[in-house]
Structure formats: structure tokens, C-alpha cells
Amino acid sequence: MSARQVRSRWSNAVLVCRKCEKKIKGGGFGPEGNKSLGKALRKHLQLGKGRKAGAGILEVGCLDICPKRAVTVVDTSKPDRWLIIHPGANLDVLAHDLGLRNKS
């Protein structure tokens, strides 16, 4: 049986360590500082979820970096450059660094 293809509208994909997110109590991201990084980025950029979104922000298992009070993020277009993001980070700057754009 051959592989089947499924299309998506993603311009790029970002991997966010779920374990790092859980270690930060209360989320730490977004305007009120109460969301996980993945959810805050999706909402800030109005991306939505799933393969029909403009970009993929995927929460994945442990990436084995485990920074204290921060989240590990991988931009799949630059797999050799991992980012450590601290709570309260400017989401506009982060989105620019990751090559993510608003839906509109």
C-alpha cells in the first residue's frame, strides 16, 4: 500500500514542548498571562487549529531541554535553532522570529 497525501494550508510549523508549558503555573503567556504558549500564539495570530489553519503550532512531548521557568520551541523551517521562551514574552516579536503571520 502506498502513502496517501493530505493537504494542509500551513505556511510553516512550530513545535512547542508541552512538558515545559505544564511546568509554568498559570500559563504565563498572552495579555493576561494565563495561557499556554501554544494557545496564546494561536489566539494572538488568529490562526485557528488543525490543518486548515494558516500555520501549525503543535504541542509535542518533552524536547529534553527542560529550561527553568521557560518553554522550548522549535521552528521546523530552522530545525538547528531551538528557542527558549520565557513567560511574558512579546508575542509579536516571537511570531516574527518564527515566521508566523496574522490570519488576516
Side-chain angles (χ1 to χ4, degrees):
M1 180 179 218
S2 64
R4 209 178 110 196
Q5 290 185 356
V6 178
R7 293 184 187 263
S8 81
R9 295 183 185 158
W10 293 0
S11 58
N12 56 339
V14 174
L15 309 179
V16 180
C17 181
R18 185 182 307 118
K19 189 173 179 182
C20 290
E21 286 184 318
K22 284 182 181 180
K23 287 183 176 183
I24 298 175
K25 304 293 183 217
F29 298 94
E32 287 94 42
N34 62 350
K35 294 194 180 334
S36 68
L37 179 58
K39 288 180 183 179
L41 269 174
R42 268 190 227 102
K43 183 166 180 146
H44 182 71
L45 299 172
Q46 301 172 337
L47 289 176
K49 289 173 68 173
R51 63 188 183 88
K52 293 184 179 180
I57 298 176
L58 305 169
E59 294 174 347
V60 298
C62 185
L63 293 169
D64 289 333
I65 298 296
C66 304
K68 291 195 185 294
R69 295 175 295 283
V71 178
T72 305
V73 175
V74 179
D75 177 355
T76 59
S77 67
K78 300 172 190 155
D80 60 332
R81 187 181 138 232
W82 294 21
L83 303 173
I84 307 298
I85 311 300
H86 292 276
N90 183 317
L91 295 179
D92 286 324
V93 173
L94 179 58
H96 180 267
D97 289 348
L98 295 170
L100 299 171
R101 291 185 296 275
N102 266 354
K103 178 179 158 184
S104 49

